[in-house]
Amino acid sequence: MISKMLKQFKLNKKYNTGFTMIELVVALAIAGTLMYYAIPAYSDFSQRQSLTNETNDLLSDLGFARSLAIENGNRVTVTAATVGGDTEWTNGWDIRERLADGTLTIVRSKIVLPNRVTMTGSVDTVTYDSLGHLLVPTTITFNIQITPDFPNFLSVSILPSGLASSNRDAYASN
């Protein structure tokens, strides 16, 4: 029985040489529909991921600066970078440690943020004392967003104790 089916299958080669036009059109319609929904979703995901990455970079560097201040017993500052006369967090930032002899040493730098990602802060400099507290005891906030067409942003807050945290629920337009 099986050998008879195999012989018949071999004789009818014209029926198993590829796809029919209907099968091809259906496959393309399904692929097109999936792409119609997938591309905007991926674009939105990509933008949210950029926000998350830059927020995590800022939180990591703030934590590093605080730890360095506590570990070495020195003041450590995180300062918005100046490019072309503009001091903005979007230009990146420098972490500087004030050594015992009074000299400032750049410990780490963050270069300009990727295209369309902007960061604003309530201050241009964050300074940690030797205990890891903010030198000026006030809450400092940052907003990270993608401009101009992505209205959501993430917020980072630094408490007077020096602890920094992000707020993912802070979605609103700036």
Side-chain angles (χ1 to χ4, degrees):
M1 178 77 170
I2 295 177
S3 65
K4 184 177 181 184
M5 287 174 43
L6 288 175
K7 285 181 185 177
Q8 186 177 11
F9 182 72
K10 289 180 183 177
L11 293 175
N12 294 325
K13 288 184 180 179
K14 72 177 186 174
Y15 294 112
N16 55 14
T17 58
F19 298 103
T20 66
M21 185 59 93
I22 293 174
E23 291 171 332
L24 184 61
V25 168
V26 168
L28 288 174
I30 291 170
T33 303
L34 290 174
M35 294 298 277
Y36 177 79
Y37 291 106
I39 289 174
Y42 177 76
S43 176
D44 189 56
F45 168 77
S46 176
Q47 290 177 332
R48 288 185 190 278
Q49 193 61 39
S50 292
L51 286 177
T52 300
N53 290 343
E54 296 311 318
T55 301
N56 288 342
D57 282 353
L58 178 63
L59 285 170
S60 174
D61 282 348
L62 290 170
F64 171 76
R66 183 171 187 255
S67 295
L68 188 65
I70 294 169
E71 182 179 324
N72 295 343
N74 296 325
R75 284 188 183 168
V76 176
T77 61
V78 182
T79 306
T82 302
V83 175
D86 293 330
T87 301
E88 297 177 5
W89 291 99
T90 302
N91 295 331
W93 53 84
D94 294 322
I95 299 174
R96 297 182 173 128
E97 181 179 15
R98 182 169 299 280
L99 301 177
D101 63 2
T103 60
L104 276 176
T105 303
I106 294 179
V107 180
R108 185 187 286 180
S109 292
K110 166 76 174 178
I111 59 171
V112 175
L113 301 182
N115 276 345
R116 298 179 44 219
V117 176
T118 60
M119 183 181 303
T120 57
S122 57
V123 296
D124 289 337
T125 301
V126 177
T127 304
Y128 293 98
D129 64 16
S130 61
L131 297 175
H133 299 134
L134 292 179
L135 191 62
V136 177
T138 184
T139 300
I140 298 172
T141 58
F142 295 91
N143 290 325
I144 301 109
Q145 71 181 61
I146 295 178
T147 56
D149 58 348
F150 195 72
N152 299 334
F153 71 93
L154 292 176
S155 175
V156 171
S157 297
I158 309 171
L159 300 175
S161 66
L163 294 174
S165 63
S166 67
N167 186 350
R168 295 184 175 275
D169 297 326
Y171 292 116
S173 66
N174 217 6

